[in-house]
Amino acid sequence: MIRLAEKEDAPQIAAIYRPFCEDSCVSFETEAPDAPEVAARIERIRRRLPWLVDERDGRIAGYAYASPHRERAAYRWVVEVTIYIHEAHRGRGVGRALYAELFDRLRGQGLFKAYAGILVPNPASQAFHEALGFKPVGVYRKVGYKLGAWRDVGWWELALRPEIDSPAEPTLPPQTLDPKP
Ligand SMILES: CC(C)(COP(=O)(O)OP(=O)(O)OC[C@H]1O[C@@H](n2cnc3c(N)ncnc32)[C@H](O)[C@@H]1OP(=O)(O)O)[C@@H](O)C(=O)NCCC(=O)NCCS
């Protein structure tokens, strides 16, 4: 079941994410966020954008969310996307299903492009993003220093919809609208 993340999901999300901070360069964070920090991130993201989890048998199998790409106003129609699947659930379509739902919601908010910044090499993530339709943009070389070496980050882009002139303002996700009196 794919649904919006709640702050109660934070401990499981933090546990999925922790090894990518502590033991690998997949994330450029060097200290894994604890559950309260993840809960705060969920709340912050969900004010404007979707954060989704795939729940199977009461456990979080993976999660995906969108975040602003850059702060300057002209960037407001594009987002970055992030995805992590629990190792026990990889290769079973969880990532594909999460991204499909995420992109539907982003299109619904009037957004045009999603960007993924991927440590390179990361063959699984690169193949996954290209299987989902992302196209390579370019590489930031030696842009981060972690675990004793300089690391490259490749950028991939996905057109959520064709660009049009005079795009409508992006909308907030439906769940953040105030309930009708
Ligand atoms: C990369 C990741 C998100 C993929 O999620 P997933 O649920 O395992 O992927 P899916 O099973 O939905 O695969 C969808 C497609 O991606 C491709 N793919 C997925 N994993 C792959 C792998 N290890 N090698 C090659 N291709 C792969 C396949 O083309 C697959 O196509 P299929 O649907 O015909 O099988 C997941 O492996 C993961 O969380 N990895 C660790 C964290 C990470 O690298 N996150 C991304 C940070 S940028």
Side-chain angles (χ1 to χ4, degrees), residues 16 20 26-27 61 63 81-87 89-99 116-119 122-132:
I16 292 171
F20 298 104
V26 165
S27 169
Y63 65 93
V81 289
T82 301
I83 186 162
Y84 288 95
I85 309 303
H86 188 291
E87 66 179 337
H89 294 276
R90 287 184 205 144
R92 297 178 182 183
V94 175
R96 187 184 280 281
L98 274 167
Y99 259 3
I118 304 173
L119 170 86
N122 179 348
S125 184
Q126 292 171 232
F128 169 75
H129 282 87
E130 293 192 3
L132 273 285

Side-chain angles (χ1 to χ4, degrees), residues 57-139:
D57 301 324
R59 302 286 301 165
I60 304 297
Y63 65 93
Y65 64 89
S67 52
H69 176 57
R70 306 282 303 261
E71 292 300 327
R72 302 272 194 251
Y75 286 115
R76 65 192 180 280
W77 288 274
V78 309
V79 291
E80 289 181 24
V81 289
T82 301
I83 186 162
Y84 288 95
I85 309 303
H86 188 291
E87 66 179 337
H89 294 276
R90 287 184 205 144
R92 297 178 182 183
V94 175
R96 187 184 280 281
L98 274 167
Y99 259 3
E101 176 71 23
L102 185 70
F103 300 152
D104 272 355
R105 289 172 183 253
L106 295 174
R107 283 186 201 96
Q109 288 185 240
L111 299 170
F112 284 81
K113 269 193 179 141
Y115 289 91
I118 304 173
L119 170 86
V120 286
N122 179 348
S125 184
Q126 292 171 232
F128 169 75
H129 282 87
E130 293 192 3
L132 273 285
F134 282 77
K135 307 285 183 211
V137 178
V139 178

